[in-house]
Amino acid sequence: MIPRDKYLGKLIQFQDKDVIKVVTGVRRCGKSTLLDLMAEHLVRQGVAPERILFFKMESMAFDDVREDYRALYSLVRKRAEGLTHPYLFFDELQETKGWERAIDGLRVDLDCDIYITGSNAFLLSSELATLLSGRYVEVEMQPLTFSEYLDFRGATIEGLSLSQSDLAVMSDGSIVTLASLFSQYRRYGGFPFLSLEEPDKSSHQAYCKTLFDTVIVRDILEREKRHGRRQITNADLLIRISDFLADNIGNECSVSSIASALRSQNSKTADSTVAAYIEALEQAYLFRHVRRYDIKGKEILKTNGKRYICDVGLRNHRQGYRSSDAGRVLENIVYQQLIYDDYIVWVGHLRAGEVDFVAERNGERVYIQVTEGMTEKATMERELKPLKAVRDAYPKMVVAASGSYPTSIDGIRIVNAVDFLLGR
């Protein structure tokens, strides 16, 4: 297993503290492996393996307890009998009806440390928040960032000279350009399983198809049915809305505009229905909604905003492996990096134009424009204009994938996309 130190570090930070550790994220982003890595960490610390109990709730071994949280509670108590401070790992716990009551009972009745994974944000519903009264911490995972992708591909850039900063050494000793690896990452994305070897279009298509179908059917349609929510029942409509959002990453679009577009295609769909389906897609971690921020008025706006997909490779699978949307795909990747780096992110609104991202962390802010390139004078002026209109003293930058530019223009940093993603 290849460590993902950032996420593992968050679990270790709360180890043996009286909070339930809840790992969330889209399917196959690495949640189960993270639990395995945490178990390895415990063993290295000297924890006896028999004190580490795994419950993989999608296994047929747990069919008898999946519909009865009391049976789950009893099963765990029986397996933990005689163990001092057991570590309990529950994988895909949202499969168990009423699971939160079992978990809260175990937390109260048993001296233990609890870790949970789930592929649907409904896992952290208001019911759970009320029941556990803040006694949980969420660790939300994403597919791989570009730096993590290099780790999984066995590429290293350490030890190379400054003149070799655009090169990487692969595990077999071959030398490749970072640009070529980044091109693969932009095309195929960063799901861990696919990132362990040279990407292949046919295997990528097959993998993403099963992933997408599983999320749509199991994590959304079946789950809504199990919990008696009858609003999300139309698989075709769910897929059409998902494809619309995927095709429009980086574009501002409201619920009403999406519903209008569907109606123009002879789909009689109410705004409220579209809103419910979008919420379901977001709860399955396929998309994130980024709200607009009025930079001058210093307030978050209620309308529009943008949505970004969890992985650009999944988007390319659904929309075709085309290069015409390279700029918006890059924007999606930069957004994912900002979230990974623990920024709170908004879309910046100004009369002078839009700032792609207003990112804030620990009271510090940065304004970011993202562009495929701006070698043309008109393009450069268009990208720089909104940043020049921002009147405060926080840093401003343009992230560009291609082209050669000064490191700074009128106080605005110009950063190569690869350098930005690698923190250089």
Side-chain angles (χ1 to χ4, degrees):
M1 292 184 293
I2 300 174
R4 298 183 70 182
D5 293 335
K6 180 183 180 67
Y7 300 117
L8 181 59
K10 288 184 177 182
L11 291 186
I12 293 172
Q13 179 184 354
F14 290 98
Q15 177 187 334
D16 294 324
K17 295 183 178 178
D18 187 24
V19 289
I20 297 167
K21 278 65 71 173
V22 184
V23 182
T24 59
V26 70
R27 278 192 179 269
R28 305 185 190 176
C29 71
K31 302 185 298 296
S32 301
T33 302
L34 181 62
L35 294 193
D36 292 335
L37 289 168
M38 185 64 193
E40 286 188 353
H41 164 76
L42 293 172
V43 172
R44 287 195 301 271
Q45 280 195 322
V47 175
E50 57 268 22
R51 291 170 55 198
I52 303 171
L53 304 180
F54 271 88
F55 302 88
K56 296 183 181 293
M57 302 309 301
E58 290 184 317
S59 168
M60 289 183 65
F62 297 102
D63 281 354
D64 293 341
V65 303
R66 200 172 292 131
E67 296 298 321
D68 185 355
Y69 70 88
R70 294 180 182 85
L72 175 62
Y73 174 88
S74 298
L75 173 65
V76 176
R77 287 301 303 264
K78 182 177 181 180
R79 288 186 56 183
E81 189 174 352
L83 298 178
T84 301
H85 191 67
Y87 293 84
L88 309 179
F89 292 83
F90 299 89
D91 195 21
E92 298 296 350
L93 191 58
Q94 78 271 357
E95 299 293 328
T96 303
K97 189 175 181 179
W99 66 269
E100 56 269 41
R101 295 183 179 276
I103 294 301
D104 190 43
L106 291 168
R107 182 190 65 81
V108 172
D109 300 338
L110 186 64
D111 175 23
C112 61
D113 199 21
I114 301 175
Y115 301 78
I116 296 170
T117 76
S119 299
N120 196 297
F122 201 75
L123 188 78
L124 296 178
S125 65
S126 58
E127 181 181 356
L128 172 63
T130 300
L131 186 63
L132 298 184
S133 303
R135 293 187 178 90
Y136 70 90
V137 60
E138 181 184 12
V139 177
E140 185 175 342
M141 294 189 76
Q142 299 184 101
L144 306 177
T145 62
F146 182 54
S147 62
E148 291 180 306
Y149 178 78
L150 295 182
D151 290 339
F152 273 62
R153 288 294 310 279
T156 180
I157 58 177
E158 295 182 3
L160 297 175
S161 65
L162 184 62
S163 63
Q164 297 173 312
S165 60
D166 61 341
L167 300 177
V169 180
M170 306 301 288
S171 56
D172 63 2
S174 62
I175 297 178
V176 301
T177 65
L178 284 173
S180 67
L181 292 170
F182 185 49
S183 178
Q184 292 175 349
Y185 177 73
R186 292 176 70 168
R187 184 176 178 83
Y188 296 111
F191 279 106
F193 178 81
L194 292 170
S195 304
L196 292 168
E197 56 186 29
E198 188 79 12
D200 171 77
K201 184 176 179 180
S202 61
S203 60
H204 181 265
Q205 287 179 319
Y207 186 86
C208 287
K209 182 182 186 305
T210 60
L211 168 61
F212 184 79
D213 291 347
T214 300
V215 172
I216 293 296
V217 174
R218 179 180 293 182
D219 292 337
I220 299 180
L221 294 175
E222 288 185 1
R223 194 186 193 294
E224 295 285 328
K225 183 178 179 180
R226 285 200 306 273
H227 288 268
R229 298 174 60 182
R230 301 183 180 276
Q231 196 167 9
I232 314 298
T233 57
N234 189 327
D236 178 67
L237 179 59
L238 187 62
I239 292 170
R240 290 176 66 186
I241 292 174
S242 174
D243 285 343
F244 184 95
L245 294 177
D247 192 36
N248 285 276
I249 56 170
N251 289 337
E252 287 193 10
C253 51
S254 63
V255 169
S256 60
S257 67
I258 296 171
S260 177
L262 291 171
R263 287 192 289 268
S264 70
Q265 301 170 5
N266 300 318
S267 176
K268 296 180 180 180
T269 308
D271 289 10
S272 59
T273 301
V274 172
Y277 276 64
I278 290 175
E279 181 183 10
L281 290 165
E282 290 175 352
Q283 285 189 335
Y285 300 102
L286 277 180
F287 296 94
R288 280 177 178 262
H289 183 214
V290 184
R291 301 174 70 181
R292 298 167 71 217
Y293 179 83
D294 185 344
I295 296 174
K296 185 176 181 179
K298 298 182 179 180
E299 63 176 349
I300 298 173
L301 303 176
K302 296 181 180 179
T303 58
N304 294 345
K306 296 181 178 182
R307 286 178 176 84
Y308 295 96
I309 197 166
C310 64
D311 180 78
V312 295
L314 184 61
R315 190 257 186 186
N316 290 336
H317 159 70
R318 295 297 304 173
Q319 297 297 314
Y321 299 82
R322 63 198 190 205
S323 58
S324 57
D325 297 333
R328 290 192 290 121
V329 168
L330 177 64
E331 189 177 319
N332 203 119
I333 291 171
V334 170
Y335 170 74
Q336 289 175 280
Q337 183 67 48
L338 290 170
I339 294 299
Y340 178 84
D341 290 334
D342 297 323
Y343 281 96
I344 300 171
V345 183
W346 302 277
V347 175
H349 171 72
L350 283 168
R351 289 184 179 179
E354 176 186 281
V355 176
D356 288 331
F357 298 121
V358 180
E360 191 168 294
R361 181 179 64 184
N362 299 328
E364 295 297 320
R365 178 177 294 179
V366 59
Y367 300 98
I368 300 173
Q369 290 286 76
V370 182
T371 180
E372 180 64 21
M374 51 181 189
T375 53
E376 298 292 330
K377 183 178 179 181
T379 305
M380 180 176 290
E381 290 177 352
R382 184 182 70 243
E383 297 295 342
L384 295 178
K385 182 180 177 181
L387 294 176
K388 290 180 179 180
V390 178
R391 298 304 180 186
D392 62 41
Y394 288 116
K396 307 169 185 67
M397 73 168 65
V398 175
V399 177
S402 60
S404 179
Y405 314 97
T407 57
S408 177
I409 300 175
D410 296 334
I412 299 170
R413 286 184 62 207
I414 313 299
V415 184
N416 175 266
V418 169
D419 290 336
F420 173 84
L421 296 172
L422 296 181
R424 302 196 302 193

